[in-house]
């Protein structure tokens, strides 16, 4: 059995004249065969223990007549001779000095990388940065002088979900008319990452929330596209939202037992637990954002939303959950 492998040229020290005959695939399965082949290899090496097996000369043995190759082979021979006659090879502190040299080279490379990161050559992402900056100007997160405005301060409070999307929902009063369980269902669309989960049937209110989310998402996607960000309305909505957990999150917020909640979806129990704990974090972040805006009603509502989902096995003190 033979297998073709791609090996970098830098990993090849040379091609030996000696031929080691044997079944490589059998050697990998049979320790005795492997030991026999290792003995043969040792015998070949002992013929010239200083330099190892004789290496083929590309110019003489392989009949490669390129002038550039011949010049490099000549340089190689000179370097090898210099290495063998160098006092460094007989120095008793060779290993220690080599480590110091390797450390110095590593530090020099780090300095080179830092200089590159601070230089104008490291501005390949500048067009994308300018496009996203234009989005923040367009949506009034920052002023023309790049000073953070109220919407920007609100967005800074949100980390566990899409801060741009969540901030727009907050300023469009998407949470205002919703009861805490529906707020939880809304935020579940941002935390659910299971792309292969089936979406359960939703009641009329949840369908209305879903339609609202899609509308805001399409609007945000279009604004970003117009500002030069590489996205579209459909792509942004698909990337940002997942409605598979809406019914599950809503029922959990109503107090439905965990066993019954698990029957509403094909998402694994562990993933449901993880998503609900992330929902708690999202609720607290929206609560903090409401404090920045000065919306006391929304602050209390999101605090209630956080409290009603923090129960039973999901928030039990367990090594496997925390």
């Amino acid at each position: 059995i033979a297998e073709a492998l791609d090996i970098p040229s830098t990993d090849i020290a040379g091609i030996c004249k000696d031929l080691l005959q044997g079944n490589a695939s059998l050697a990998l399965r049979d320790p005795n065969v492997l030991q026999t082949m290792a003995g043969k290899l040792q015998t070949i090496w002992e013929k010239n223990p200083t330099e190892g097996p004789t290496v083929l000369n590309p110019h003489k043995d392989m009949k490669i007549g390129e002038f550039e190759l011949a010049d490099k082979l000549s340089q190689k021979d000179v370097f090898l001779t210099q290495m063998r006659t160098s006092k460094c090879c007989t120095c008793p502190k060779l290993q220690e000095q080599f480590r110091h040299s390797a450390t110095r080279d590593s530090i020099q490379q780090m300095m080179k990388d830092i200089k590159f990161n601070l230089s104008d050559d490291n501005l390949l992402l500048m067009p994308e940065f300018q496009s996203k900056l234009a989005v923040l100007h367009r949506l009034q997160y920052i002023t023309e002088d790049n000073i953070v405005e109220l919407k920007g301060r609100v967005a800074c409070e949100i980390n566990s979900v899409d801060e741009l999307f969540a901030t727009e929902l907050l300023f469009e009063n998407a949470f205002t008319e919703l009861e805490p369980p529906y707020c939880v269902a809304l935020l579940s669309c941002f935390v659910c990452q299971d792309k292969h989960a089936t979406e359960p049937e939703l009641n009329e209110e949840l369908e209305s929330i879903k339609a609202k989310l899609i509308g805001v998402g399409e609007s945000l996607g279009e604004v970003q596209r117009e500002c030069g960000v590489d996205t579209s309305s459909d792509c942004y909505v698909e990337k940002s939202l997942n409605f598979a957990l809406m019914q599950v999150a809503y029922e959990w917020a109503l107090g439905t037992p965990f066993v019954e909640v698990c029957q509403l979806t094909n998402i694994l129990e562990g993933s449901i637990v993880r998503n609900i704990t992330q929902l708690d974090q999202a609720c607290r972040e929206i609560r903090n954002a409401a404090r920045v805006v000065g919306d006391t009603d929304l602050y209390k509502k999101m605090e209630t939303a956080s409290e009603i989902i923090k129960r039973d096995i999901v928030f039990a003190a367990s090594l496997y959950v925390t």
Side-chain angles (χ1 to χ4, degrees), residues 11-79:
D11 290 349
I12 302 175
I15 302 176
C16 303
K17 289 185 177 182
D18 298 278
L19 180 63
L20 182 63
Q21 295 183 345
N23 190 325
S25 60
L26 180 60
L28 295 175
R29 300 192 303 268
D30 191 337
N32 294 326
V33 177
L34 182 61
Q35 186 174 3
T36 301
M37 294 183 68
K40 293 180 180 180
L41 181 60
Q42 184 176 359
T43 302
I44 294 174
W45 191 271
E46 289 175 349
K47 294 179 181 179
N48 191 355
T50 304
E51 300 181 3
T54 305
V55 178
L56 289 173
N57 186 297
H59 181 62
K60 297 178 180 179
D61 299 319
M62 300 182 184
K63 308 303 180 183
I64 301 177
E66 296 180 6
F67 176 79
E68 184 179 355
L69 177 61
D71 185 50
K72 289 183 177 180
L73 287 174
S74 177
Q75 293 178 11
K76 177 185 175 183
D77 292 337
V78 172
F79 290 149

Side-chain angles (χ1 to χ4, degrees), residues 6-14 76:
D6 291 329
I7 302 176
S9 58
T10 53
D11 290 349
I12 302 175
K76 177 185 175 183

Side-chain angles (χ1 to χ4, degrees), residues 291-310:
R291 184 190 65 241
V292 174
V293 176
D295 191 336
T296 55
D297 292 336
L298 180 58
Y299 182 94
K300 294 177 182 178
K301 182 183 296 184
M302 298 313 300
E303 199 165 49
T304 302
S306 175
E307 291 172 356
I308 61 178
I309 64 175
K310 203 178 293 184

Side-chain angles (χ1 to χ4, degrees), residues 2 14 38 41 43 45 65 124 138 140 144 172 277 310:
L41 181 60
T43 302
W45 191 271
L124 298 177
R138 175 89 170 265
Q140 298 181 342
E144 292 298 326
E172 290 194 16
T277 55
K310 203 178 293 184

Side-chain angles (χ1 to χ4, degrees), residues 247-265 269 272-273 276 308-309 311-314:
Q247 187 68 38
V248 171
Y250 174 69
E251 293 294 338
W252 179 256
L254 289 178
T256 305
F258 187 73
V259 175
E260 296 182 18
V261 164
C262 292
Q263 295 174 354
L264 298 174
T265 179
E269 291 87 345
I272 294 176
V273 170
I276 293 176
I308 61 178
I309 64 175
R311 62 181 179 86
D312 293 350
I313 188 174
V314 175

Side-chain angles (χ1 to χ4, degrees), residues 111-298:
M111 293 174 61
K112 184 178 179 180
D113 293 341
I114 292 173
K115 289 180 181 179
F116 173 77
N117 291 334
L118 295 174
S119 69
D120 293 338
D121 295 331
N122 191 34
L123 298 178
L124 298 177
L125 298 179
M126 184 58 73
E128 183 180 357
F129 170 76
Q130 294 294 345
S131 297
K132 292 188 175 182
L133 199 64
V135 173
L136 298 179
H137 284 302
R138 175 89 170 265
L139 297 175
Q140 298 181 342
Y141 282 72
I142 55 178
T143 66
E144 292 298 326
D145 297 324
N146 295 335
I147 299 174
V148 179
E149 298 199 78
L150 177 60
K151 290 177 76 172
R153 294 201 301 272
V154 169
C156 290
E157 297 291 333
I158 303 170
N159 299 295
S160 60
V161 298
D162 188 321
E163 58 272 15
L164 198 68
F165 209 141
T167 301
E168 290 301 309
L169 289 172
L170 194 149
F171 276 86
E172 290 194 16
N173 299 318
F175 298 95
T176 303
E177 303 298 329
L178 299 179
E179 294 298 319
Y182 286 111
C183 291
V184 172
L186 185 154
L187 290 174
S188 72
C189 301
F190 295 104
V191 302
C192 183
Q193 302 296 322
D194 198 325
K195 300 297 183 182
H196 303 289
T198 56
E199 294 185 16
E201 294 185 7
L202 305 176
N203 61 36
E204 185 177 348
E205 184 69 22
L206 291 178
E207 285 288 356
S208 175
I209 295 173
K210 179 180 178 180
K212 174 71 173 178
L213 287 170
I214 293 175
V216 174
E218 289 178 343
S219 176
L220 275 174
E222 182 61 23
V223 168
Q224 293 183 68
R225 187 193 65 78
E226 292 175 357
C227 290
V229 178
D230 185 16
T231 188
S232 65
S233 299
D234 294 337
C235 290
Y236 184 70
V237 170
E238 184 179 356
K239 177 183 177 182
S240 304
L241 300 174
N242 188 335
F243 304 103
L245 205 66
M246 284 191 79
Q247 187 68 38
V248 171
Y250 174 69
E251 293 294 338
W252 179 256
L254 289 178
T256 305
F258 187 73
V259 175
E260 296 182 18
V261 164
C262 292
Q263 295 174 354
L264 298 174
T265 179
N266 63 343
I267 300 177
L268 298 176
E269 291 87 345
S271 296
I272 294 176
V273 170
R274 184 177 64 255
N275 285 322
I276 293 176
T277 55
Q278 291 175 345
L279 268 176
D280 174 56
Q281 177 67 23
C283 288
R284 287 188 277 116
E285 289 176 357
I286 298 297
R287 179 200 63 186
N288 295 337
R291 184 190 65 241
V292 174
V293 176
D295 191 336
T296 55
D297 292 336
L298 180 58

